[in-house]
Amino acid sequence: MINGEKRIGRPLRWAMIGGGRHSQVGYKHRTGALRDNTAFQLVAGAFDIDPERGKDFGVNLGVAEERCYPNYQSMFRNEAEREDGIEVVTIATPNGTHYEITMAALAAGLHVICEKPLTFTTAEAEEIQAFAEKQGKIVGVTYGYSGNILLLQMRAMIAQGKIGDIRMVELQYTHGFAATDENDRKSEGQKWRVDPKIAGPSFVLGDLATHTYYMSQLIMPQMKISKLLCDRQSFVGSRAPLEDNAYVMMHYENGAVGRMWTSAVNAGCMDGQRIRIVGSKASLEWWDSKPNELLYEVQGQPSQTLVRGMDYLDETVNAYERLAALHQEGLSDAWANLYLNIAIAIDAKERGDEETLNKLIYADINAGVEGVRWVETCVRSAENGSVWVNFDAGVPVTS
Ligand code: NAI
């Protein structure tokens, strides 16, 4: 159970780049990082592309005025000269800046927490991976809901053989908020999402599906994709070549098959992240709109709903329980778990504690690279006419 007591020696001195007043995601980072007050301390930031607005915002968050910087370059320079300078930085800016800022942060000797998708290309993501290794730093990636503890229950039950051999993997992350092009013109956060120069080679595959793909890996670490086929559409034509809807079919090395449906044009859908894993004996299903419940359906028996906070859950799950049964947890708690694990990883890395690092389940640099590789392979399949593409080699399957 988590009750806010410290898990590392002292809070890490933390800064944010982006995540400013009007950003979509900034507050989620702060609720996650500052939840327990014992893991991170927000001491500096370059919060906004507009320096004045960023400073005003930072001061309102309680950050000292002289540590609200106009850009990340001056923050890295000035903080490096302070004895109490920052140790870790979150990058919550649009996708096109992630590679450059992450590399600069690692060069400045900082641990990094970066938004997804980590980069545009696998080559860039692997460069970050190699540089982080060289610098001895952690790079965590914020797949938000991956901190939901019932995903750990799915992982434990699958490992214990509770559903038998995995046969089908059904993944979905859809919403309807971009069903028309209205927000492409009005909302700053949506404008860049459909601009390949800033968003990268995809819209919904990178924006939405990478979350669910990582969560499927967290649940089924043993499952490796052998090949995939992606069929993507731009129903709002002005978004082409970026897709606002995509279907991805996947074959796994163990013979299982899977599908991902991702969409921003699922009109009327308010919130739709779903994971259903079908085994030879039973199935498990989780929806983000019911984050406290896990459906367990054994063939031939009445279906069961496993509820968060109960003793019958695996001990790995209840180690992250925050509120106890009867009280509902949600996205903010998932983010808090995500950030707590990254703090523990940074602390362990600094102490050379490999045992702790190997045991921790969180979205590390490998998850960042894997997410980018998945999106890149999907785009390659779609651009070749929606053909099967070998996952590791990234080339169309010819036989
Ligand atoms: P947004 O456009 O709403 O906000 C971006 C923020 O970054 C703004 O405050 C802007 O002023 C600031 N900014 C932009 N360039 C900057 C720079 N060079 N230096 C300092 N600040 C800068 O974007 P949104 O939706 O917040 O997305 C940001 C990132 O977070 C994206 O990579 C996106 O994919 C990801 N995201 C992740 C979510 C999750 O659940 N993990 C949810 C939403 C977004």
Side-chain angles (χ1 to χ4, degrees):
M1 180 117 189
I2 291 175
N3 61 8
E5 279 184 87
K6 65 179 181 180
R7 301 285 292 274
I8 57 175
R10 57 165 180 78
L12 299 165
R13 296 187 296 273
W14 175 58
M16 286 191 77
I17 302 169
R21 181 172 288 141
H22 302 294
S23 77
Q24 286 186 26
V25 82
Y27 186 57
K28 298 182 184 72
H29 286 268
R30 290 184 289 277
T31 50
L34 304 175
R35 174 64 173 273
D36 297 324
N37 201 31
T38 45
F40 293 91
Q41 228 183 351
L42 182 62
V43 296
F47 296 101
D48 203 299
I49 191 75
D50 176 329
E52 277 311 308
R53 195 170 56 187
K55 182 187 263 193
D56 186 55
F57 181 64
V59 168
N60 275 347
L61 291 177
V63 176
E65 189 173 341
E66 72 277 10
R67 296 178 88 177
C68 297
Y69 296 95
N71 50 53
Y72 73 85
Q73 292 93 337
S74 61
M75 178 162 81
F76 293 169
R77 233 181 4 256
N78 285 288
E79 288 291 317
E81 286 166 12
R82 296 179 67 109
E83 267 188 19
D84 63 348
I86 56 173
E87 299 163 291
V88 47
V89 67
T90 282
I91 301 167
T93 51
N95 306 351
T97 58
H98 294 175
Y99 169 76
E100 169 195 314
I101 305 179
T102 301
M103 290 298 274
L106 289 170
L110 300 171
H111 296 280
V112 177
I113 300 160
C114 186
E115 265 302 347
K116 41 48 59 175
L118 182 61
T119 56
F120 285 5
T121 67
T122 308
E124 287 168 343
E126 286 176 341
E127 229 182 288
I128 289 175
Q129 187 177 39
F131 194 41
E133 176 69 28
K134 178 166 175 272
Q135 297 291 84
K137 298 295 167 194
I138 294 289
V139 176
V141 182
T142 43
Y143 298 114
Y145 243 135
S146 68
N148 181 283
I149 59 179
L150 287 179
L151 302 177
L152 295 174
Q153 179 68 17
M154 293 174 90
R155 178 181 168 118
M157 289 175 77
I158 289 169
Q160 291 154 9
K162 291 274 171 44
I163 67 168
D165 297 328
I166 294 173
R167 291 176 170 170
M168 278 93 76
V169 177
E170 287 277 311
L171 306 172
Q172 176 181 338
Y173 198 169
T174 67
H175 64 71
F177 287 97
T180 69
D181 67 351
E182 192 184 342
N183 275 340
D184 293 9
R185 286 175 276 112
K186 280 194 194 155
S187 148
E188 289 305 316
Q190 176 59 18
K191 259 186 219 163
W192 67 255
R193 279 175 162 77
V194 292
D195 177 352
K197 288 192 293 302
I198 307 175
S202 79
F203 170 23
V204 291
L205 289 162
D207 201 43
L208 303 175
T210 40
H211 282 281
T212 326
Y213 176 58
Y214 170 67
M215 285 155 67
S216 73
Q217 290 186 299
L218 185 158
I219 294 165
M220 315 175 302
Q222 76 284 17
M223 295 279 284
K224 304 280 176 250
I225 295 179
S226 56
K227 60 181 180 176
L228 63 73
L229 181 153
C230 173
D231 187 12
R232 67 173 183 168
Q233 298 74 37
S234 315
F235 281 108
V236 173
S238 54
R239 292 174 184 154
L242 300 193
E243 78 293 337
D244 47 27
N245 186 78
Y247 298 102
V248 183
M249 289 173 48
M250 294 169 283
H251 281 193
Y252 293 85
E253 287 173 357
N254 71 343
V257 294
R259 294 193 292 197
M260 169 82 78
W261 175 31
T262 183
S263 186
V265 294
N266 182 10
C269 173
M270 292 298 292
D271 168 18
Q273 191 167 199
R274 170 188 182 240
I275 299 181
R276 181 176 175 85
I277 313 291
V278 183
S280 51
K281 297 194 291 202
S283 301
L284 287 165
E285 181 167 322
W286 179 88
W287 275 96
D288 63 358
S289 53
K290 288 192 174 176
N292 293 270
E293 295 179 7
L294 176 62
L295 191 63
Y296 178 41
E297 296 174 317
V298 181
Q299 178 55 34
Q301 295 180 20
S303 72
Q304 297 178 48
T305 301
L306 309 186
V307 179
R308 214 211 75 252
M310 299 301 292
D311 285 344
Y312 52 69
L313 299 177
D314 195 75
E315 61 184 11
T316 57
V317 180
N318 283 333
Y320 284 89
E321 178 59 41
R322 286 172 180 271
L323 301 183
L326 206 60
H327 306 289
Q328 308 304 313
E329 289 190 3
L331 184 67
S332 309
D333 305 274
W335 275 85
N337 294 337
L338 190 91
Y339 261 92
L340 178 61
N341 277 338
I342 294 175
I344 293 171
I346 291 171
D347 179 64
K349 187 82 179 172
E350 289 292 331
R351 291 184 293 101
D353 178 355
E354 288 297 320
E355 198 189 333
T356 297
L357 277 173
N358 291 336
K359 272 199 247 151
L360 268 183
I361 300 167
Y362 77 105
D364 61 7
I365 180 62
N366 301 320
V369 175
E370 178 75 5
V372 176
R373 189 192 310 284
W374 187 82
V375 172
E376 197 173 56
T377 312
C378 289
V379 170
R380 194 163 299 141
S381 164
E383 286 184 347
N384 277 285
S386 297
V387 294
W388 284 100
V389 173
N390 180 304
F391 189 65
D392 279 337
V395 293
V397 176
T398 49
S399 57

